[in-house]
Structure formats: structure tokens, C-alpha cells
Amino acid sequence: MKILKTVKEMREQIKEWRGKGLSIGLVPTMGYLHEGHASLIDASKKDNDRTVVSVFVNPMQFGPSEDLESYPRDLRHDAKIAEEHHADIIFNPEPEEMYSEGFSSFVDMTVLTEELCGLSRPVHFRGVCTVVTKLFNIVQPDRAYFGKKDAQQLAVIKHMVSDLNMNIEIIGCPIVREADGLAKSSRNTYLNKDERKAALILSQSLNHGIKLIQNGETDCSVIINAVKEKIQTEPLAKIDYVKIVDAANMQQISVIDRPALCAVAVYIGKTRLIDNFFTEDIRNGGAV
Ligand code: PAF
């Protein structure tokens, strides 16, 4: 497996593969890879002849008071995981390679970014859409793989690809969890022992919501209040949001009468964690 640092090297590699008629999968990441990322690499390996994993902590998607500086970085660890899962290339550009002096072009989106993380993190999706567009232009993949933990991000990218006629298939992969239910996240490394225990309240509260829906509840305010009450039993937890939105346009709904997403963002100490479930995924009695 090779680690490429420049757009030029990446393009040369892509040209060589395309010359041989090979298909290409892209797994965009910010590094500090875990089993969630590994599952995306595995999915790409199954569908494509070659798999590129991008590792780039994208400054543009962090707000001024967010964790850009402290975001965990360990390229050796990332290379080990990517290699174990038989990725072909890690694309690991420096910020100056992606954003040269005078950079002033952006990809932005309305509607789907108005709620959830878009509301709490106003610059986030402009940064995500811009960097993902750049990665798509550089790697020119046939398919790209994103985790369902970032459910709004997945919906935004799918919409962007459709709106802008990008010829790329976007594949959403299931959330990967620890044995006790905590969704895998690079940010879990911020948690101390007590916070790690407290973080279970995210999946536990969502499971509470799922049970209500399975028992026939469709009133979103009833479900949201029940999930909130459960989270509030954990002293280390502070709710950013608990919302139910239309899975297609990410707008709030009051009754579950269509495919919906129930999403939570919760601070555990200083660490902001997200988790969710899609109502379509629980039809067969599943829990998160
Ligand atoms: O999900 C992430 O890790 C990032 O938002 C992404 C898609 C790699 C863009 O920086």
C-alpha cells in the first residue's frame, strides 16, 4: 500500500488504473481509523478493483471554537488499519496542498443543512461539501463510502451528487458499535473512564425511542421527550439536540408518517457525540 501526499501523484495513479480499465472506490476519512472506517474499506474492496482511503483533517469543516487542533491524528496507525484491510492507497495531503493561497471557491447546500448538525455547526457542511467535491475531482471514484453515523452528512453528499450531476455512486454503510452499544467514533478517544461509561446514554436513549415506535407511537414530540428524559438521567450528559426529521430532506416532522431519522447530539463532558437511527432500519425489530 502506498501513501500519496500530492494531487499530482494521486492523479497519475488514477490515470494508470483507468488505463487498465479498473474501477475505483473512495473512502473519505479524517483519519484515526477504527472498525467503522474499516467496514467502509471492506465494502469498497468488495465493489471495486482499487480502493483509495483519504486521510485529511479538513480545517474548513471545523468552527472557530471546535476541536481542529486536538482532533486525533496518527498516520502510522491509519496505515496499519488500511493495509490490514487491503486498501491500495492512502491519500494524505497537507492542508496547503488542498487549500492553496487565495482559495476562494466553495460548495454549499441549503435545506438539508438547516437542521441537526447544520444548525449547531454553521460552517460544517460547507466545509464537508467543498472538501468532498475536491476529493471526488482528484480521485474520480466510481463509488464513495460513508458511514450512517453521520446520517445528515450522508444525505447531504447524496443530494450534492444528484444536484451537481456527479457521476459517483454514494454508498451508506451501517453504524459500527462497541460491544456495549457506543457508536465507534474517532472522538471517543477524548472520553475518560467515567465519560466513556456515561456515553452509553446515547444508544440507550435511542433504544428507548425505538421501543416506543415499535409499540406504535408516531407522535414525534412524545418520542423526542422520552429520549431527552432518558439522556437527562446521566449527569455528565448535556443535550445539543434530539430531533426527528424526514429522512429525505432532513426537515423536522411532527408525526412519523414517512421514512424518518431520529438523531441526537450530546456533550459528554466537553466531547460532542452523535448517534441516530432510521425508522426504516427498525422495521424488523432491530435496536441500535
Ligand atoms: O466524515 C468525515 O470523516 C468527514 O466529514 C469527511 C467526509 C472525510 C470530509 O472531511
Side-chain angles (χ1 to χ4, degrees):
M1 190 193 66
K2 282 192 272 187
I3 299 179
L4 302 182
K5 304 286 288 182
T6 67
V7 174
K8 186 168 176 283
E9 287 170 314
M10 195 63 245
R11 281 199 196 286
E12 279 165 10
Q13 180 64 78
I14 297 298
K15 199 170 162 200
E16 185 199 314
W17 287 341
R18 287 293 180 205
K20 292 179 181 157
L22 300 173
S23 62
I24 298 167
L26 171 65
V27 179
T29 82
M30 296 207 300
Y32 219 69
L33 303 185
H34 49 67
E35 285 93 332
H37 299 114
S39 75
L40 304 181
I41 300 173
D42 292 344
S44 173
K45 286 296 295 179
K46 245 196 250 150
D47 297 342
N48 303 284
D49 298 316
R50 295 289 182 270
T51 291
V52 176
V53 180
S54 64
V55 172
F56 179 62
V57 182
N58 174 34
M60 199 190 283
Q61 69 190 70
F62 289 79
S65 59
E66 293 182 354
D67 57 343
L68 172 62
E69 296 308 323
S70 58
Y71 197 86
R73 294 158 167 91
D74 186 346
L75 189 59
R76 274 206 357 216
H77 160 89
D78 293 341
K80 186 167 173 282
I81 302 225
E83 188 135 44
E84 278 167 9
H85 289 265
H86 312 292
D88 297 282
I89 298 281
I90 286 187
F91 177 52
N92 176 232
E94 294 300 322
E96 308 76 56
E97 179 72 7
M98 291 296 272
Y99 301 116
S100 53
E101 221 188 303
F103 185 91
S104 49
S105 304
F106 303 91
V107 182
D108 212 345
M109 187 179 291
T110 58
V111 188
L112 273 84
T113 60
E114 283 167 2
E115 290 288 348
L116 311 173
C117 292
L119 204 58
S120 312
R121 307 182 67 192
V123 300
H124 179 65
F125 285 113
R126 172 167 135 143
V128 169
C129 288
T130 302
V131 81
V132 169
T133 299
K134 283 173 69 67
L135 291 167
F136 285 176
N137 285 337
I138 295 163
V139 177
Q140 296 170 33
D142 298 280
R143 296 173 195 85
Y145 297 78
F146 296 86
K148 282 188 175 179
K149 184 172 78 67
D150 296 293
Q152 188 177 18
Q153 170 172 279
L154 175 60
V156 163
I157 303 287
K158 277 189 176 163
H159 208 78
M160 176 184 84
V161 161
S162 161
D163 279 352
L164 302 183
N165 305 101
M166 296 173 173
N167 194 17
I168 298 168
E169 191 183 346
I170 302 301
I171 318 259
C173 298
I175 297 176
V176 177
R177 296 178 181 279
E178 304 285 355
D180 60 8
L182 179 67
K184 302 250 183 197
S185 164
S186 306
R187 289 190 168 97
N188 291 349
T189 62
Y190 295 148
L191 303 171
N192 66 29
K193 210 165 145 234
D194 290 340
E195 290 169 343
R196 171 65 183 78
K197 235 166 104 188
L200 288 181
I201 203 67
L202 279 86
S203 55
Q204 286 170 355
S205 63
L206 287 171
N207 278 328
H208 191 51
I210 288 173
K211 272 197 202 112
L212 289 176
I213 295 172
Q214 284 169 337
N215 289 336
E217 185 60 69
T218 56
D219 185 331
C220 294
S221 61
V222 172
I223 299 159
I224 288 170
N225 285 337
V227 171
K228 279 185 175 167
E229 274 171 27
K230 179 86 181 161
I231 295 171
Q232 280 156 355
T233 62
E234 172 47 63
L236 293 179
K238 194 171 142 270
I239 295 172
D240 178 1
Y241 65 72
V242 175
K243 283 186 183 169
I244 299 180
V245 295
D246 181 321
N249 64 16
M250 299 284 124
Q251 295 286 307
Q252 285 195 77
I253 52 175
S254 52
V255 179
I256 300 184
D257 55 1
R258 69 201 91 173
L261 168 75
C262 177
V264 302
V266 178
Y267 285 93
I268 303 292
K270 287 197 172 117
T271 306
R272 184 176 177 280
L273 299 176
I274 57 172
D275 201 349
N276 67 70
F277 65 83
F278 284 92
T279 54
E280 292 299 279
D281 289 342
I282 62 169
R283 285 277 152 76
N284 299 324
V288 299

